[in-house]
Each structure stands twice: as structure tokens, then as C-alpha cells.
Amino acid sequence: MDALVADLVMPDGASMYVMSALETSRELIRHSYYRYEFATVAVTHSLIALECALVERLALSRPLHILIRRATGTGLITVELAAELDRGRRLRDSLTQGTVTSAALSPAGAIATVRAVFDAVALLLRPPSAAETAAVDTGSAQPEDQLALLWEEHRRALYPDGFRGIDVEGVELILLDADVAGLVQRELNGGLDDSGIAILWACIADLDKIVTLIDSEYCASYFARLRTMAKLAAARSIPAAT
């Protein structure tokens, strides 16, 4: 069991609260040799450290799935890492709902998620880049600046894995992404003509239709951000009231 947890190294710079939760989760896996259920408990306990680290880094108090989505959208953690973290989060939810028991995971099964938490916390403790700071502060920016900030955030985000060639209600997602991205870039680089604005509003209608139907949290977040950008770009072409 010592070998199984040997690469779970405490990240530098973590708060005492995060460090305590990570160390406890590591020791629970180590002792799952004696008590099998400790492996599942280790995963759920590691999520305490993850949630705390996310709240500290994002300066945002939200449910864990939203924090994971936000960190992924801003490039703090990778899509692959987010998927493993979300598996742990779903396991925790299943435990609280009584649909699984603490015997749900073996030590080998638990170590992948706990390792993902250790890796995510280490990434969250890196100093923020200037672009990342701007993305986190998007909500407080003036409307005319929000579009540029969201565009920078969107350019850094990976297209949702597994959704290439997929359509929802007849809307092909990757083509919609490309259309809106092109229109937003044109708006930022000088403005859209009447034809571009008409196409943009058609894209907004498609986004309004499909976002709530997407069953992947990361993919839904990706296209929700796309919808926000599209509406901000379209709003710039609406004359101000006099």
C-alpha cells in the first residue's frame, strides 16, 4: 500500500486546511488494506481539499461541479483532469443519495481520483497569468470589455472531447462553434454587417435551443459561454435608446 500512494506528494503552498484533507485522503487509501471501505472514503474526503482550493483560487463560492467547470473553462485544469474529478464528485453525490455504499471502490480504483485531486490542487496553486486573471474578473468588466475577455477565455478552452460530429436537435455543435467564433472575431475586429448580424441571431436561437439539452457539464459550460459571447456581440449592434 505504501507503493500505491508513493507519488501522492503534498503540493507546495497549500493552506493547512487543504493539506490536512489531502493527507487524510492519502492515509485512508494506505489503510484501506485493513478496511476496504476506506478507499471510497478517501475519494470523498479528497474532494474537501479540492473544493477549498477551487474556492480560494477562483474567489467564487459555488457548488463543486460549477467550480470544476469554471476552472476548466479558464484553463486552470485540463478537460481530462476535470473528467476524473467529476467522477469523484458523482460518486460523492451517489453516496449521499444512498444509491451506492462505501464499498463502491477498490484501492486501485480510488487512487486514480485521489491522484487527480492532488494534481488539480498543484495546478491551482500556480501563480495566475495576466490573461487568466482577466478571465476570472470578466463578471466585473464593463459590457464593452466583457466580449473581448470572454473571447480570450474561449480561445484557450479545449473543444469538448467526444462532441465532434455530434448534433443536438439537428444543430451540429462543432459547426455552430465555428460560426459563432468567426462572427465574434469579426465583431471585435471592426464590426458585423447586416448579413453577419442576421446569421449571429440565428446562431443565438440555436444556442438557446441546445444548451439546456447537453448532458455533459463541460460541454454545456462551453456552449453557454459561446451563447453569452454571441449575445454580447449582437447587443453591440442594437442602437442605444435615446
Side-chain angles (χ1 to χ4, degrees):
M1 299 305 290
D2 287 344
L4 190 63
V5 300
D7 63 341
L8 298 182
V9 179
M10 293 296 163
D12 293 332
S15 67
M16 289 301 296
Y17 188 83
V18 171
M19 292 280 281
S20 175
L22 289 177
E23 186 172 13
T24 299
S25 65
R26 183 179 65 185
E27 293 308 303
L28 282 166
I29 288 182
R30 192 196 306 274
H31 288 86
S32 63
Y33 176 84
Y34 304 102
R35 181 75 181 187
Y36 187 86
E37 291 88 345
F38 284 178
T40 301
V41 179
V43 169
T44 60
H45 199 80
S46 71
L47 297 178
I48 296 172
L50 175 66
E51 188 163 358
C52 182
L54 285 166
V55 168
E56 290 173 353
R57 183 57 185 267
L58 297 172
L60 188 68
S61 181
R62 294 289 188 276
L64 181 56
H65 69 280
I66 294 176
L67 293 172
I68 293 172
R69 183 191 306 171
R70 178 66 172 169
T72 309
T74 55
L76 285 168
I77 58 177
T78 66
V79 175
E80 293 77 15
L81 196 56
E84 186 63 47
L85 298 173
D86 200 57
R87 273 191 285 273
R89 194 268 309 171
R90 290 198 302 270
L91 172 65
R92 182 196 65 181
D93 291 351
S94 295
L95 283 166
T96 60
Q97 293 160 8
T99 57
V100 301
T101 71
S102 294
L105 290 178
S106 66
I111 193 67
T113 301
V114 173
R115 184 180 292 114
V117 171
F118 271 73
D119 291 345
V121 170
L123 290 173
L124 292 167
L125 291 171
R126 294 182 306 178
S129 65
E132 179 189 314
T133 302
V136 172
D137 290 340
T138 297
S140 61
Q142 294 300 312
E144 58 269 21
D145 299 325
Q146 288 181 15
L147 181 59
L149 292 173
L150 281 172
W151 172 243
E152 287 304 312
E153 180 180 331
H154 191 75
R155 286 198 313 120
R156 295 194 311 274
L158 296 174
Y159 186 82
D161 188 37
F163 284 84
R164 298 182 186 278
I166 299 297
D167 71 83
V168 176
E169 292 291 304
V171 178
E172 189 161 352
L173 298 185
I174 197 166
L175 294 181
L176 180 60
D177 178 39
D179 287 344
V180 175
L183 291 163
V184 167
Q185 193 167 25
R186 281 168 55 191
E187 173 62 27
L188 289 170
N189 289 340
L192 292 168
D193 57 18
D194 290 345
S195 174
I197 294 168
I199 296 171
L200 184 60
W201 279 110
C203 291
I204 290 170
D206 284 340
L207 287 161
D208 285 342
K209 179 169 65 173
I210 61 96
V211 165
T212 58
L213 301 177
I214 298 173
D215 60 4
S216 159
E217 288 185 2
Y218 175 71
C219 187
S221 173
Y222 183 95
F223 279 91
R225 180 178 54 236
L226 198 69
R227 177 173 61 180
T228 300
M229 288 194 302
K231 290 185 176 181
L232 285 170
R236 287 159 59 124
S237 300
I238 299 173
T242 56

